[in-house]
Amino acid sequence: MDAQFEVGEEHGNSKEESVKKKMWRESKKMWKVGGPAILVPFSTFGVHVVSQAFIGQLSATNLAAYSLVCNVLFRFVLGIQLGMVGGMGTLCGQAYGAKQYQKLGIFLQQSWMILVAASTLLTPIFVFAAPILKALRQDHRIAEMAGTTTALWFIPMMFLYAVLQCFNTFLQSQSKNFLLSCLVLLCLLLHVFASWLLTAKLELGVPGVMASAVSAYLIPNAVQVVHLMCGGCRETWNGFTALAFRDLGPAIKLSLSSAAMLCLDFCYNIILVLLTGNMKNAEVKIDALSICLNISGWAAIISFGFMAAASVRVSNELGRRDAKAAKFSIIVILVTSVFVGLVLSVFVLLFKQQVARVFTTDEDVAEAVSRLSPLLAFSLLLSSVQGVLAGVASGVGRQGSVAYINLGCYYLIGIPLGVVLGYVVLKQQVEGIWMGMMIGSAAQTAMLVILTCKTDWNEQPMWYYHVMDRLEDSFCY
């Protein structure tokens, strides 16, 4: 009996070590994708946070104007752009997993065409920023300043951001976006220095900060173009080809469903800002909420990195027809993401006053941020789960299903509850609006959990090969 027990114990330890090794291998794969995937949006989003910090030192009105353009108009555009590029991520990730390397370059070129066309159609949003914000019942003085001093600078940033995200997704599906992540991080540091120089020393004000922000997007794009054309991705980039123009239908369809999924998510916070802008003492409330959304945005970047890791790992494994490995990847990434989200939530609750003063010297705004911190902490925890599960859906190609979930939970549950709690129950308080909308977010998270648990992973690879067969016929390989 003792001998049998010892053998069983050794076998158990061996099995435990095997699981540990498997988790360690999966964690390394996750961070190889997730690390750069966090650094890229961290740096690009950081450009706007740094800009807001410098503009906020000029005046509260300038800060409110910049916040409206960035958190309402530009956030709406980003939702569409990031969603559309997510469609390319599904195809690139699964093609790379299936070792169909030559298709990745074609998908990149298709994505460039789709996103540049979409950005062109979205340009009037910034050209007519002032009347649009006024029509949304925002403070006319703040809206006028937003249209005259800030909005037009976002047009070149919009196009540069679209190209940058196409590069990032193309490289990310191959786990090769480390160089790009270093470039954008360096440009963020240069933006900090340039903004200080242009505002504190040369006294150029808002135009100085915005010019520096445009440069922070331009430099990594230029370097990446040179890197790609000089053979940085020999397996997956064979130059420009007319094949990219053939049968754009599947790519456009997947891009639109992916855009709907993410845009509905991004617009949720836009509506929160707009509802706040209709309250009394809107300037203080918008400033406080924009600071909370910026902090939430920083944390969402980490969540976005885990989302990218989940999408790439799931799509790669499904491309290899290994459903078991895909499920194991989800578990490892989800546990890691929730742990990070929990740490960030505790940090926000402990250091809420210190964090607020990084963005403002106004005591009223800092106090308002402090009151909102419990809701902010809860949103960070939800985001850590939502990001991974949305990435899983993207890797499988089920963005359309998530779009319907977002529509129902956010716009049929969250917003109506937010209006009732904010305007009726708590009487003109932003806490009530955000609380109601958090209930909608919690419902969305629960639905994503159910969707993921009910997925038949053994059937998912068949969806990928069906799509790729159509593309095979279109590309005439």
Side-chain angles (χ1 to χ4, degrees):
M1 282 290 290
D2 291 340
Q4 289 178 349
F5 178 79
E6 287 176 5
V7 170
E9 188 176 27
E10 287 176 4
H11 177 73
N13 290 337
S14 176
K15 185 177 180 181
E16 184 179 355
E17 287 176 3
S18 177
V19 172
K20 285 181 179 178
K21 287 180 180 179
K22 192 176 178 182
M23 290 185 68
W24 176 245
R25 281 197 305 271
E26 182 58 42
S27 293
K28 287 194 293 184
K29 290 178 182 178
M30 175 193 72
W31 284 111
K32 189 176 181 180
V33 178
I38 290 171
L39 278 178
V40 171
F42 174 88
S43 302
T44 53
F45 181 74
V47 168
H48 298 288
V49 175
V50 169
S51 300
Q52 181 167 350
F54 278 99
I55 290 173
Q57 302 305 315
L58 299 175
S59 75
T61 307
N62 276 319
L63 175 61
Y66 180 86
S67 298
L68 275 181
V69 176
C70 189
N71 290 321
V72 176
L73 304 183
F74 194 59
R75 184 181 285 265
F76 172 73
V77 170
L78 287 187
I80 295 175
Q81 289 183 332
L82 288 173
M84 283 187 160
V85 85
M88 183 188 78
T90 302
L91 294 175
C92 281
Q94 294 193 355
Y96 191 78
K99 298 184 179 180
Q100 300 285 331
Y101 301 131
Q102 72 276 12
K103 291 187 174 68
L104 272 73
I106 296 172
F107 292 145
L108 174 61
Q109 292 169 61
Q110 288 185 332
S111 187
W112 276 338
M113 289 187 285
I114 293 169
L115 264 78
V116 168
S119 298
T120 303
L121 294 174
L122 292 168
T123 298
I125 290 176
F126 299 106
V127 175
F128 302 105
I132 288 172
L133 291 171
K134 289 176 183 177
L136 293 172
R137 301 183 64 188
Q138 300 305 293
D139 185 284
H140 281 216
R141 181 171 57 93
I142 297 173
E144 197 63 44
M145 180 173 283
T148 55
T149 64
T150 306
L152 294 179
W153 287 99
F154 280 89
I155 295 175
M157 281 195 281
M158 172 179 61
F159 282 95
L160 291 169
Y161 192 87
V163 175
L164 184 68
Q165 286 305 317
C166 290
F167 272 128
N168 184 42
T169 305
F170 168 74
L171 297 168
Q172 191 172 268
S173 63
Q174 311 166 56
S175 301
K176 291 182 179 179
N177 55 341
F178 179 73
L179 174 62
L180 183 60
S181 66
C182 293
L183 278 172
V184 292
L185 183 59
L186 176 61
C187 288
L188 173 61
L189 298 176
L190 290 174
H191 176 50
V192 175
F193 173 74
S195 296
W196 169 80
L197 180 65
L198 294 170
T199 55
K201 297 299 180 182
L202 300 180
E203 298 182 352
L204 294 179
V206 174
V209 176
M210 298 307 295
S212 176
V214 172
S215 299
Y217 282 119
L218 179 61
I219 294 170
N221 269 322
V223 174
Q224 193 57 55
V225 167
V226 173
H227 177 255
L228 189 68
M229 300 306 170
C230 292
C233 297
R234 295 185 187 277
E235 274 189 328
T236 54
W237 176 260
N238 298 315
F240 292 100
T241 173
L243 290 173
F245 293 92
R246 300 187 62 175
D247 195 16
L248 280 165
I252 292 173
K253 182 179 179 181
L254 196 55
S255 293
L256 289 176
S257 63
S258 184
M261 177 188 84
L262 209 57
C263 192
L264 287 170
D265 203 338
F266 273 57
C267 288
Y268 200 45
N269 282 335
I270 292 174
I271 292 171
L272 176 58
V273 175
L274 293 175
L275 289 173
T276 304
N278 287 315
M279 291 182 166
K280 295 177 182 178
N281 197 15
E283 188 173 290
V284 171
K285 291 176 180 177
I286 288 177
D287 286 351
L289 184 60
S290 69
I291 289 171
C292 287
L293 290 179
N294 270 323
I295 297 168
S296 176
W298 282 108
I301 285 164
I302 299 174
S303 177
F304 191 82
F306 287 120
M307 174 182 171
S311 178
V312 171
R313 291 296 303 127
V314 168
S315 62
N316 283 173
E317 296 301 343
L318 292 182
R320 297 186 187 102
R321 292 181 178 266
D322 193 343
K324 187 176 180 180
K327 288 191 286 186
F328 187 76
S329 297
I330 295 168
I331 294 170
V332 173
I333 297 170
L334 186 59
V335 170
T336 307
S337 180
V338 170
F339 175 75
V340 172
L342 188 60
V343 171
L344 292 174
S345 299
V346 172
F347 179 85
V348 165
L349 291 173
L350 292 177
F351 300 100
K352 53 191 177 184
Q353 290 286 348
Q354 292 87 337
V355 170
R357 281 175 172 75
V358 172
F359 296 92
T360 183
T361 56
D362 190 304
E363 289 298 323
D364 291 336
V365 175
E367 181 59 33
V369 172
S370 181
R371 290 198 304 271
L372 291 172
S373 59
L375 289 171
L376 175 60
F378 182 61
S379 72
L380 298 183
L381 196 55
L382 279 179
S383 180
S384 67
V385 179
Q386 289 171 337
V388 175
L389 298 182
V392 172
S394 181
V396 174
R398 300 182 68 177
Q399 292 95 327
S401 299
V402 181
Y404 284 117
I405 290 173
N406 289 350
L407 183 64
C409 294
Y410 287 164
Y411 297 89
L412 299 182
I413 298 175
I415 292 173
L417 275 176
V419 171
V420 170
L421 290 175
Y423 285 92
V424 179
V425 178
L426 297 181
K427 305 294 183 183
Q428 299 281 317
Q429 294 297 320
V430 66
E431 289 94 330
I433 297 176
W434 204 357
M435 195 182 302
M437 294 177 74
M438 280 296 98
I439 295 173
S441 294
Q444 184 252 18
T445 304
M447 290 298 293
L448 286 178
V449 170
I450 293 171
L451 178 68
T452 304
C453 291
K454 286 185 172 294
T455 298
D456 186 349
W457 295 100
N458 291 315
E459 293 297 322
Q460 297 309 312
M462 299 304 295
W463 174 89
Y464 158 67
Y465 284 107
H466 172 68
V467 172
M468 292 307 297
D469 286 343
R470 290 177 59 188
L471 293 173
E472 286 276 359
D473 295 337
S474 299
F475 295 149
C476 300
Y477 282 124

